[in-house]
Amino acid sequence: MTFWAILVLTYNIEGRDLVSEIPFKDMKTCGLAIDAIYPTIYANYRDSMAQCKKTNNASSSIKPRMRPNNG
């Protein structure tokens, strides 16, 4: 089973903490997004952080195959 992941971006602008949350279908996709997005944010906001948090909400499941009808 695959679970949604939330990319959490936290940064500080002029003493104000800002948080952005972006949903992704799984942790792998979220990790790829950090690699693509975070360097640009860090270049502009050194007091920033990015992390992926796995949720308890399934984004997909393993579906059982139907058995053949041999009767």
Side-chain angles (χ1 to χ4, degrees), residues 5 11 15 19 30 32 39 59-60 63 66-68:
Y11 43 100
V19 177
C30 187
L32 293 171
S59 61
S60 67
K63 295 181 181 178
M66 291 186 67
R67 293 184 183 180

Side-chain angles (χ1 to χ4, degrees), residues 16-66:
R16 183 175 174 194
D17 289 329
L18 299 172
V19 177
S20 298
E21 297 179 341
I22 306 167
F24 289 92
K25 65 179 181 176
D26 56 34
M27 288 294 283
K28 181 179 179 180
T29 307
C30 187
L32 293 171
I34 283 180
D35 293 342
I37 295 170
Y38 188 64
T40 302
I41 293 171
Y42 184 75
N44 292 285
Y45 306 102
R46 297 288 182 171
D47 188 16
S48 62
M49 181 182 71
Q51 63 181 335
C52 290
K53 291 186 175 182
K54 184 177 170 183
T55 70
N56 292 326
N57 299 341
S59 61
S60 67
S61 64
I62 300 172
K63 295 181 181 178
R65 292 185 186 186
M66 291 186 67

